[in-house]
């Protein structure tokens, strides 16, 4: 089905190109409308990609230190104070160590998430006009989540650079990429891709399916304003993002344990979960070490992403929030 959708999309693009190529042949003059031109569909999609990238960039620069504390808790099974003290002892020099991979990965990921979700939604709706709205949402969200997974290498390198055991082995992002490719091959970049696919696809369904629902429950004042819309977008994105990340927290713990290894045999998601569960003394509670930092970070992170995404569209593309 996906191949047919993609093929039809390509055919439509080629058809538009052919029409543009032969348009000047008739030598007719066409009147120029004084009305403001309507943004073409392709430009509308480009808006989603551009604003998604901008919102991801803003988010990472604000939340990276919080994410680093959570990462240490995931990896070592320690409380937040212990993780904070580890990072404090390492000093400011290492605070933003490893920020480039998530900056590239998250900014590009949110760009793909918002842009490809809109892209796939329109393609699926065009191909299957009778499909129910929720089915379109689920299909587009899963496809967008799968597209995001191509950025797994950035998440992989981020994991290695944030682990203190690799502080002296890898100098920077480029060095880590180079060493990993030379010593272990291209396949090693995609270690831990299965939990990422699971997290991205189902997480997108929850995010796009719930954020409008939450926003509709928020009180509406008599006068509409940019600040009011920003706050509502922040709250809806924050609550849905915090809920989703908490649901998938154990999956991220297992993903981290998978990606922190180099050169060892690859294991399945179920086997990695079993190993992590045993390491945490067979305690579900210990699998959630760091979850309070996680939902705090996610609340802030997804609030920033959702609100800044809508604000960027309003500022640079004069679009009103449709969420």
């Amino acid at each position: 089905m996906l191949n047919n959708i993609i093929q039809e999309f390509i055919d439509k693009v080629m058809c538009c190109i052919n029409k543009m190529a032969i348009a000047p042949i008739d030598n007719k003059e066409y009147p120029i409308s004084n009305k403001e031109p309507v943004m073409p569909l392709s430009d509308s999609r480009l808006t989603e990609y551009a604003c998604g990238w901008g919102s991801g960039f803003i988010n990472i620069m604000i939340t990276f230190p919080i994410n680093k504390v959570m990462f240490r808790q995931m990896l070592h099974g320690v409380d937040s104070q212990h993780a904070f003290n580890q990072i404090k002892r390492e000093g400011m020099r290492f605070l933003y160590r490893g920020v480039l991979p998530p900056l590239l990965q998250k900014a590009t990921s949110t760009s793909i998430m918002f842009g490809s979700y809109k892209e796939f939604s329109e393609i699926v709706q065009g191909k299957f006009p009778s499909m129910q709205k929720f089915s379109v949402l689920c299909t587009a969200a899963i496809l967008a989540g799968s597209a995001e997974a191509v950025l797994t290498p950035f998440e992989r390198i981020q994991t290695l650079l944030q682990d203190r055991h690799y502080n002296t082995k890898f100098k920077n992002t480029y060095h880590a990429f180079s060493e990993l490719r030379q010593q272990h091959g291209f396949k090693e970049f995609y270690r831990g891709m299965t939990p990422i696919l699971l997290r991205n696809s189902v997480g997108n369904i929850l995010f796009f399916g719930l954020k409008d629902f939450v926003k509709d429950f928020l009180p509406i004042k008599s006068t509409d304003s940019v600040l009011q819309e920003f706050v509502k977008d922040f709250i809806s994105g924050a609550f849905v993002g915090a809920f989703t990340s908490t649901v998938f927290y154990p999956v991220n713990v297992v993903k981290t344990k998978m990606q922190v290894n180099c050169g060892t045999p690859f294991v399945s998601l179920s086997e990695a979960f079993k190993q992590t569960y045993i390491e945490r003394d067979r305690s579900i509670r210990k699998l959630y070490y760091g979850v309070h930092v996680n939902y705090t970070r996610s609340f802030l992170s997804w609030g920033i992403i959702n609100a800044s995404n809508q604000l960027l569209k309003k500022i640079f593309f004069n679009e009103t929030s449709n969420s």
Side-chain angles (χ1 to χ4, degrees):
M1 186 180 76
L2 178 58
N3 290 335
N4 293 335
I5 293 174
I6 294 174
Q7 184 59 50
E8 180 171 340
F9 175 69
I10 293 173
D11 290 341
K12 288 181 178 179
V13 172
M14 294 305 298
C15 181
C16 291
I17 292 173
N18 289 335
K19 287 180 179 179
M20 287 189 292
I22 64 175
I25 296 177
D26 56 13
N27 293 323
K28 294 181 179 179
E29 293 184 2
Y30 295 93
I32 299 176
S33 174
N34 292 325
K35 295 182 179 180
E36 186 173 331
V38 178
M39 181 180 286
L41 187 60
S42 58
D43 287 349
S44 179
R45 291 168 179 170
L46 181 60
T47 298
E48 294 291 340
Y49 283 110
C51 294
W53 191 93
S55 61
F57 181 91
I58 294 169
N59 162 60
I60 286 298
M61 295 307 296
I62 295 174
T63 63
F64 183 79
I66 302 174
N67 185 62
K68 197 162 189 175
V69 173
M70 183 193 68
F71 170 83
R72 294 292 176 87
Q73 290 188 268
M74 282 183 175
L75 184 59
H76 303 299
V78 296
D79 59 34
S80 57
Q81 186 62 44
H82 190 278
F84 176 79
N85 288 336
Q86 272 188 0
I87 296 171
K88 185 178 179 181
R89 284 194 298 269
E90 292 169 11
M92 285 296 296
R93 177 187 172 191
F94 289 104
L95 179 60
Y96 275 89
R97 174 181 165 84
V99 71
L100 185 58
L103 193 61
L104 296 175
Q105 184 266 336
K106 191 63 178 179
T108 308
S109 177
T110 52
S111 176
I112 294 173
M113 174 184 167
F114 285 102
S116 64
Y117 172 74
K118 182 175 180 63
E119 189 104 16
F120 285 124
S121 294
E122 294 178 353
I123 293 173
V124 173
Q125 285 176 329
K127 182 69 175 179
F128 306 101
S130 60
M131 182 180 285
Q132 293 184 354
K133 185 177 180 180
F134 181 71
S135 298
V136 173
L137 184 149
C138 291
T139 303
I142 291 172
L143 291 173
S146 300
E148 289 178 68
V150 301
L151 301 173
T152 297
F154 291 105
E155 203 163 338
R156 172 83 166 102
I157 296 300
Q158 177 192 358
T159 300
L160 296 176
L161 290 177
Q162 285 189 334
D163 184 9
R164 61 191 176 92
H165 294 105
Y166 294 99
N167 276 354
T168 57
K169 184 174 182 179
F170 300 125
K171 298 176 182 178
N172 50 43
T173 300
Y174 176 79
H175 185 244
F177 268 110
S178 178
E179 288 293 305
L180 206 63
R181 182 184 61 82
Q182 292 178 10
Q183 295 182 14
H184 305 291
F186 184 78
K187 183 180 178 182
E188 190 69 39
F189 287 125
Y190 286 90
R191 184 187 289 267
M193 187 174 184
T194 303
I196 289 174
L197 280 169
L198 176 63
R199 180 198 66 196
N200 287 357
S201 57
V202 183
N204 280 358
I205 293 174
L206 293 174
F207 181 79
F208 288 111
L210 293 176
K211 70 184 183 75
D212 292 344
F213 179 78
V214 172
K215 186 175 180 179
D216 289 340
F217 271 90
L218 297 176
I220 302 175
K221 294 183 179 180
S222 57
T223 57
D224 190 17
S225 68
V226 174
L227 179 59
Q228 178 181 309
E229 283 299 307
F230 181 85
V231 172
K232 288 169 65 177
D233 287 325
F234 180 90
I235 293 174
S236 61
F239 274 104
V240 175
F243 169 74
T244 302
S245 65
T246 301
V247 169
F248 284 97
Y249 188 79
V251 176
N252 275 331
V253 170
V254 175
K255 186 269 299 181
T256 299
K257 296 295 291 187
M258 293 172 72
Q259 290 190 327
V260 81
N261 297 305
C262 282
T264 59
F266 281 65
V267 296
S268 65
L269 176 59
S270 58
E271 182 62 29
F273 179 83
K274 182 179 178 181
Q275 291 175 5
T276 307
Y277 180 65
I278 293 172
E279 289 176 5
R280 300 293 173 92
D281 300 325
R282 301 178 184 274
S283 170
I284 295 296
R285 178 176 172 273
K286 290 186 177 180
L287 282 176
Y288 277 89
Y289 267 157
V291 70
H292 62 291
V293 177
N294 175 70
Y295 63 65
T296 302
R297 178 195 62 83
S298 295
F299 185 91
L300 178 63
S301 176
W302 283 104
I304 292 170
I305 288 173
N306 196 47
S308 61
N309 178 267
Q310 297 298 336
L311 186 62
L312 288 171
K313 286 194 286 188
K314 185 173 182 63
I315 292 174
F316 294 104
F317 299 94
N318 198 29
E319 287 190 12
T320 56
S321 175
N322 56 5
S323 53

